[in-house]
Amino acid sequence: MQRKNGSRSEELNFISSFLSSSESFHSFIRRNPIGGTYNESNITIIYGNITRLISDLELTRYSLLPNIKPIIIYHLDHLKSDLKKLIELKHSLHAGAVCSEKAKADILIITKDKPYYISFKDITKEAKLGQFSSHLQLGQVKLEGGLKKFIEIPAAKIIHTNSNLTFEQFNKLNSGNKKWAVYKSLYDKDFQRLVDQMMENAYAQLYTFCHELTKDIDLLLEFLTRTLVGNSESVLDDFYLVMGDSFIHVKSVLNKIKKLNPEICTQEFISRNSKKSMLLSIRIKDKKYWITKIEPSFDGSRKNVSQTKGIIYYFQEFSDNVNQSYKSLLIDVSENKFG
DNA sequence: CTGACTTGCCTGCTGGTCGC
DNA sequence: GCGACCAGCAGGCAAGTCAG
């Protein structure tokens, strides 16, 4: 099977592969790009505004489809949230299964027996696993980001000429960001000291976080679950990933990983540009996979940047010439590569 | 040197939440 | 019930780096 690299519309390829004719579906969505309901004999497809996906779409069919008999397929990404709530009600799904910020499924397939929540991961390119700036708690382990420090600046000083921003930039900001924009400019030494302190603290937290994760496979697997499936425990039983030709039931693969009794490692990594981060890896037998690279960043540390967000932890996919990323881990384990 | 690719950072947006 | 606020996401962009 050949599929176009860099296509952002794998979901549409996947959906159309269940139909007897991709062409008529293709022409339907081209005629109705801002949303619609497509019916073919006994399959209904419901989608939202997919204009951006259609421009360079070339539908190619999956030859290896999982054994599913869809009745309704929802392309969730661009559906309005009130419609998603209705979907949850109509099919008696758990609250928040498709309509919550933690919901990660790209499409939902309703069959006679059960729902399939499906998320697509492009194996041809690396992507972020996620990012967050508030509070991540796994068991007793936590990472704390953001910018909670309180600063006081007289209201009269909070004007655009006291910042290093343009008038337009400044006026788009909320009051908190305006205050920081002025603070960065008027008290730059103090601000720089604060940034340095917070970064140091972030690295210290991250170091502990990663070392704690190496001691407890359950924590690591919970991290993967949250990242891939979202917070909703309720969908885990029915959650699948499509990666290339693999159709992966996340829960069973994670269980298999646990049974393989992997060794978890962490190490510091310094990028070519000297940016420090932490790597997490898993070793099963003699094969090692990088789970993720975690790097803290103080977003908005420069004076001429409008939004001052503070510490954000970025979870990046990572691989190198020797070892591959979490995607290969999931694929290999699902194919029983380790027995 | 130059064009292509990588990496880190920034912005705009969205949708949830919270307090009134 | 509503506005203000904020976390999180995706995508873009530019500086840095590499290969030829």
Side-chain angles (χ1 to χ4, degrees), chain A residues 271-287:
Chain A
S271 75
R272 281 204 305 246
N273 308 335
S274 319
K275 172 85 182 178
K276 207 165 72 171
S277 55
M278 293 296 284
L279 298 176
L280 278 169
S281 64
I282 245 184
R283 182 183 293 280
I284 300 177
K285 305 203 169 145
D286 55 357
K287 187 127 190 195

Side-chain angles (χ1 to χ4, degrees), chain A residues 158-277:
Chain A
I158 304 179
I159 46 175
H160 127 261
T161 46
N162 278 338
S163 77
N164 281 57
L165 305 177
T166 65
F167 180 79
E168 289 75 20
Q169 279 181 310
F170 191 80
N171 280 293
K172 268 191 252 171
L173 295 175
N174 63 37
S175 58
N177 272 315
K178 278 182 180 158
K179 201 162 72 168
W180 281 107
V182 169
Y183 187 77
K184 286 198 278 197
S185 183
L186 294 186
Y187 311 103
D188 60 334
K189 291 260 159 47
D190 292 335
F191 180 70
Q192 198 48 53
R193 210 172 305 128
L194 175 69
V195 171
D196 293 344
Q197 272 170 18
M198 286 181 65
M199 280 303 280
E200 210 171 295
N201 177 267
Y203 276 117
Q205 281 190 44
L206 179 57
Y207 187 84
T208 310
F209 179 86
C210 289
H211 281 274
E212 289 299 314
L213 253 61
T214 63
K215 297 179 200 159
D216 189 346
I217 180 73
D218 288 325
L219 288 184
L220 187 79
L221 295 180
E222 190 188 332
F223 165 69
L224 276 176
T225 306
R226 280 205 211 174
T227 306
L228 300 172
V229 178
N231 255 351
S232 191
E233 281 296 308
S234 56
V235 301
L236 186 57
D237 284 341
D238 303 313
F239 203 95
Y240 298 81
L241 290 180
V242 175
M243 293 194 273
D245 290 334
S246 302
F247 190 68
I248 291 171
H249 185 233
V250 175
K251 187 177 182 180
S252 23
V253 171
L254 294 183
N255 285 340
K256 274 189 203 169
I257 292 175
K258 186 174 179 183
K259 287 205 186 98
L260 288 164
N261 199 23
E263 181 192 357
I264 310 164
C265 298
T266 187
Q267 70 189 69
E268 193 177 289
F269 177 74
I270 296 178
S271 75
R272 281 204 305 246
N273 308 335
S274 319
K275 172 85 182 178
K276 207 165 72 171
S277 55

Side-chain angles (χ1 to χ4, degrees), chain A residues 56-71:
Chain A
D56 53 3
L57 176 65
E58 247 176 75
L59 285 181
T60 52
R61 291 170 78 84
Y62 278 70
S63 51
L64 296 167
L65 272 186
N67 184 23
I68 299 176
K69 295 270 170 287
I71 298 171

Side-chain angles (χ1 to χ4, degrees), chain A residues 129 220 223-224 280-282 289-293 326 329:
Chain A
L129 280 82
L220 187 79
F223 165 69
L224 276 176
L280 278 169
S281 64
I282 245 184
Y289 302 87
W290 297 112
I291 297 293
T292 187
K293 179 178 89 168
Y326 79 95
L329 168 69

